[in-house]
Amino acid sequence: MPDTTEGGSIRAVVGGVHGSDADALLGRASRAPQPTELVVTPERLHRRNLKRRLAEHATPRSSLRLTDATTIADDLLDGVGEPVDTIDRIDRLNHFETLLQRKTESNRRLRAAFGGDLPARVETIAAAHSRVGELTGWADDRLDDLSTVADGLPGVDARDTADVVAGVRALEDRLVERVAPIHSRETLLPAAADALREDPGRWRETFPAAERLSVAGVSAVDAPLLGLLDAAAAAGVTVTVSLRPGTGPDIAERLSDRLDVEPGRGVGTPGARNDTETAVAPGLDAAEFVADTPEGEARVAAAVVAGHLRNGVSPSDVLIVARDAGEYERSLRRALGRHGATLAVWAQLPAERTVPYRQFAAVCELLGNDGVDVEGLLEPLSFEWVPPQGDAEEGSTAWPLSAARVGALRAGLADESPDPTERSVDGWADRLDDAVDSGQVPGADAAALRTFLDWVREQPTAPEPPDIHRTFEPLVESGRETALPAVFAADSDDLSRTSRYARALSRVEELLTDTRAKYDEWLAAGDVPRSWLAVADLAERVVTTRPGRREHANAAAVDAIDATDAWLREVPHVVAVGLVDGVWPRRVESVFPEAFRSAVVKGDSAAARRLAVPGRWTAAREVDHLASGLGAATESLAVTRYRRDREGTAMERSPLLSRVSADSVDESATQSLLTRGTLPDALAAGGGGSR
């Protein structure tokens, strides 16, 4: 076997808006019997964009394996004889809740930082734990560096930081005892790095043809990832870290300080620091529009899009980008609807707020309680419960029940007593019979409710894991067969509610599998009782920690996406919305004191420079997002903002716009756009220069 410890290197490249680093990566794509280069990107959507760029240029990509760092680490540790299965965030929170109930010195210090009821603050404490893992990879020398930085802070900040760090370090130690030394990404990657340093030949055994490892599109290189990259370089691999224009210069500048041993093979660095006002859209001049309110801004952005469409531009050639596209969905959809245009918002589905999920949760609550009031009884019907196929009499009821019919049932079953009466399912069946006899509930409505009550009686009271699918899979199918067509029939022309409902049904299908697996695991461990309420609680944990589906491609719709998701995309026309201070960029929020964050970000001491900088601690990440969004434009670029928020508070122009060559569109031109649909010359002519 050849000596794999020679020839390795780490090189950091800060890409421009259009990504010279990415262009080099694309240029290396070719046909190969086995992948010669592993490509790590931070998001699945970034891998999709990379595949799209390769497909657009008809470039073969069998030489590239698009993956993530945890998969590489898993592969390297395969066969080592130690358990390497990580636990998910839900299990981690469960362990933390148990550990935080103990009376320990470390928990006393956490209470000093977070308050008395630690289990109630478990999410916040878990965030602090995760952040320390990113900073240090739980390596003793890095943890010592962190403590050194904390000790140098002013009195209160030093004490608060020390309390948080001591508390989460103890949590990590207890988690290792309860689970295993490898339990998370922050422990998996260092373990793989250690194994690779002990046996450099492991790389060639695991990835026989891979001589390069590239990390692309990142705004942060945390300690666990850098340790793995360093070990790969020591094993003879050519490592390239392709950084983004905002965060990249600072990351690259302190890369050598952060490596355990600066390799003689070299660490490539760029020249400029990130305090240079580097332009993020150097090839185009942007047309800058100002509106009075967020709704006015949405109307301006929609008018720009509509102007392009009237000029013959395909909807797929216009892209709307925002710091958070989901926040603009309602206003943009309404504004574009006035122009007859359809919007597809590529945002993670808030599944917990969708009708199918709320129906699932309501059914679990009903099945899990011995008695419920009339609201608890009828809530599943309010969320469009439809009986499984064959459970309802043919033609007897129009499913799902309308809001008016559910309201009539509620009124007919309600007691005269001011305090809601709780009854069992059988008790409600008796109450329904009385209401029918007294004429309070019409016969057709009573038949529908009896169908529902009969179905409820058939479900197990102490569910086993397979019962989750047995109970809810038929409901999902009936929702798809019956409720979805009803939603479609009542939907607007853009079919936004239909799309959301269909995506939610698919998400609930995934949720059943995820919840069943977790319920099975926790039952075996004795962590939950056999109860539908336990199922509901687990499902809520799953649905709020795992992202839902994103929008599906639709060539007839204009896409709106988070700006960071535009990395590597190219479209002729881009409209960027929300360039308001406090909206884009957002204020940095953290459980750590601002003085500690500032010390780490600035890197003014040797100890601080050896720590990783979490991307969310620096506004430079917002520059990365902006560069990805604006950099997607090839012909024209528009940016929009508003002067006052919905409460009337004055809002300032985003400081990020100082990095954009922008021509302000005056009030008369903006009114002409809104009233007559006339695009400003810079946009109508194809905009602002060429690349």
Side-chain angles (χ1 to χ4, degrees):
M1 180 178 293
D3 183 0
T4 58
T5 63
E6 296 181 359
S9 64
I10 296 181
R11 178 170 176 263
V13 181
V14 179
V17 175
H18 314 306
S20 57
D21 54 319
D23 289 339
L25 173 63
L26 295 168
R28 292 194 297 271
S30 62
R31 286 191 177 86
Q34 295 186 72
T36 59
E37 182 169 357
L38 306 183
V39 181
V40 172
T41 57
E43 299 286 348
R44 186 182 303 172
L45 282 175
H46 292 169
R47 291 195 284 278
R48 183 204 67 198
N49 291 349
L50 184 55
K51 292 177 183 178
R52 175 186 293 187
R53 282 285 293 274
L54 291 167
E56 288 172 350
H57 294 84
T59 304
R61 59 179 177 88
S62 53
S63 66
L64 306 180
R65 176 184 170 187
L66 310 186
T67 184
D68 57 70
T70 55
T71 300
I72 292 175
D74 275 332
D75 291 345
L76 286 170
L77 290 173
D78 188 33
V80 299
E82 295 182 11
V84 295
D85 292 334
T86 61
I87 61 175
D88 60 28
R89 184 170 180 271
I90 299 171
D91 282 338
R92 187 173 301 109
L93 291 174
N94 187 48
H95 286 300
F96 282 172
E97 285 178 354
T98 300
L99 293 170
L100 290 172
Q101 293 171 7
R102 297 179 178 178
K103 294 182 179 180
T104 62
E105 172 60 20
S106 58
N107 282 352
R108 183 194 66 77
R109 300 190 69 174
L110 285 175
R111 280 192 290 274
F114 296 105
D117 190 356
L118 294 183
R121 302 297 304 277
V122 64
E123 296 268 1
T124 303
I125 295 169
H129 173 271
S130 176
R131 213 64 64 236
V132 172
E134 293 174 21
L135 288 160
T136 67
W138 300 111
D140 289 337
D141 56 343
R142 297 292 190 269
L143 288 165
D144 291 341
D145 289 331
L146 191 155
S147 295
T148 299
V149 175
D151 290 342
L153 300 175
V156 175
D157 291 330
R159 185 176 65 250
D160 288 348
T161 303
D163 286 339
V164 173
V165 172
V168 298
R169 285 187 71 170
L171 278 180
E172 174 63 19
D173 292 341
R174 301 293 84 77
L175 197 59
V176 168
E177 293 173 359
R178 288 173 65 92
V179 182
I182 299 175
H183 57 74
S184 64
R185 175 188 177 278
E186 287 73 30
T187 53
L188 173 66
L189 269 60
D194 290 343
L196 193 53
R197 290 189 184 97
E198 292 174 5
D199 179 13
R202 183 182 294 274
W203 182 273
R204 187 71 66 193
E205 294 170 2
T206 308
F207 311 110
E211 299 177 349
R212 300 184 65 102
L213 171 59
S214 294
V215 180
V218 294
S219 292
V221 180
D222 63 15
L225 175 59
L226 184 59
L228 181 60
L229 300 181
D230 186 27
V237 181
T238 299
V239 177
T240 302
V241 185
S242 298
L243 302 167
R244 298 164 85 174
T247 54
D250 279 336
I251 293 173
E253 185 178 281
R254 61 201 284 184
L255 203 58
S256 296
D257 295 299
R258 294 178 53 204
L259 292 170
D260 291 332
V261 178
E262 183 175 351
R265 298 172 294 276
V267 179
T269 59
R273 277 184 60 84
N274 145 62
D275 49 14
T276 302
E277 288 291 304
T278 306
V280 295
L284 295 171
D285 289 336
E288 181 180 347
F289 295 87
V290 184
D292 283 335
T293 64
E295 287 72 20
E297 182 196 16
R299 289 193 290 272
V300 169
V304 172
V305 171
H308 285 310
L309 299 183
R310 279 192 298 272
N311 287 346
V313 174
S314 167
S316 60
D317 286 340
V318 184
L319 181 66
I320 301 174
V321 299
R323 174 61 177 78
D324 184 346
E327 293 182 357
Y328 272 82
E329 178 172 4
R330 180 173 297 179
S331 58
L332 281 174
R333 195 178 298 282
R334 185 185 304 116
L336 278 169
R338 295 170 179 167
H339 297 278
T342 301
L343 182 72
V345 179
W346 289 74
Q348 291 176 345
L349 180 72
E352 68 276 11
R353 298 200 297 270
T354 63
V355 168
Y357 173 77
R358 295 175 75 181
Q359 178 198 121
F360 166 86
V363 169
C364 285
E365 289 290 327
L366 175 58
L367 295 176
N369 284 297
D370 293 332
V372 294
D373 60 18
V374 69
E375 293 295 337
L377 174 71
L378 299 179
E379 197 167 44
L381 296 174
S382 298
F383 294 130
E384 301 179 0
W385 182 90
V386 174
Q389 301 300 307
D391 279 17
E393 296 180 14
E394 188 70 26
S396 61
T397 301
W399 297 100
L401 295 186
S402 66
R405 294 187 67 185
V406 175
L409 279 169
R410 184 181 294 108
L413 294 173
D415 293 308
E416 295 181 0
S417 169
D419 297 324
T421 301
E422 292 189 352
R423 292 183 171 88
S424 66
V425 171
D426 288 336
W428 279 114
D430 293 339
R431 171 71 184 116
L432 177 62
D433 290 340
D434 293 341
V436 171
D437 292 342
S438 63
Q440 294 172 292
V441 174
D445 292 346
L449 183 54
R450 286 193 182 100
T451 297
F452 175 58
L453 293 174
D454 289 344
W455 177 85
V456 170
R457 289 192 188 97
E458 294 171 0
Q459 309 315 311
T461 56
E464 297 293 336
D467 291 326
I468 295 176
H469 274 97
R470 293 192 191 108
T471 297
F472 286 101
E473 264 190 338
L475 295 185
V476 172
E477 285 305 311
S478 61
R480 188 170 280 120
E481 293 294 324
T482 305
L484 185 59
V487 172
F488 172 78
D491 207 354
S492 58
D493 291 341
D494 66 2
L495 299 182
S496 58
R497 185 164 179 256
T498 303
S499 173
R500 181 184 177 93
Y501 203 97
R503 293 166 64 200
L505 286 170
S506 296
R507 178 63 178 130
V508 169
E509 282 184 314
E510 296 173 353
L511 178 68
L512 298 181
T513 299
D514 294 339
T515 303
R516 174 177 173 174
K518 188 62 61 182
Y519 184 56
D520 193 8
E521 179 185 332
W522 283 26
L523 276 177
D527 289 339
V528 293
R530 283 178 173 77
S531 162
W532 286 112
L533 297 181
V535 171
D537 178 63
L538 283 173
E540 183 180 14
R541 294 175 186 238
V542 172
V543 80
T544 55
T545 56
R546 298 186 181 181
R549 293 175 179 267
R550 291 178 181 258
E551 187 64 70
H552 299 288
N554 181 354
V558 175
D559 285 344
I561 66 175
D562 293 349
T564 188
D565 292 338
W567 179 77
L568 274 192
R569 280 193 67 168
E570 285 187 343
V571 293
H573 310 285
V574 168
V575 181
V577 299
L579 272 302
V580 175
D581 191 19
V583 176
W584 194 356
R586 287 184 175 169
R587 305 285 186 262
V588 175
E589 295 182 359
S590 173
V591 297
F592 286 95
E594 192 279 333
F596 175 69
R597 301 197 310 267
S598 178
V600 172
V601 171
K602 290 179 178 178
D604 290 338
S605 67
R609 291 180 66 81
R610 286 191 291 269
L611 298 172
V613 177
R616 65 191 66 202
W617 281 11
T618 168
R621 187 175 69 153
E622 306 287 304
V623 179
D624 291 344
H625 294 176
L626 187 66
S628 293
L630 304 191
T634 61
E635 294 183 17
S636 81
L637 179 60
V639 296
T640 68
R641 62 185 178 91
Y642 53 87
R643 297 187 183 93
R644 299 189 309 276
D645 65 13
R646 291 179 176 88
E647 284 72 43
T649 304
M651 306 296 290
E652 298 297 327
R653 185 177 190 258
S654 170
L656 298 180
L657 284 174
S658 64
R659 300 173 181 266
V660 180
S661 176
D663 296 325
S664 180
V665 178
D666 62 34
E667 188 69 26
S668 62
T670 301
Q671 287 303 313
S672 178
L673 170 66
L674 291 171
T675 58
R676 294 191 293 275
T678 306
L679 286 173
D681 291 342
L683 297 180
S690 63
R691 294 186 173 165

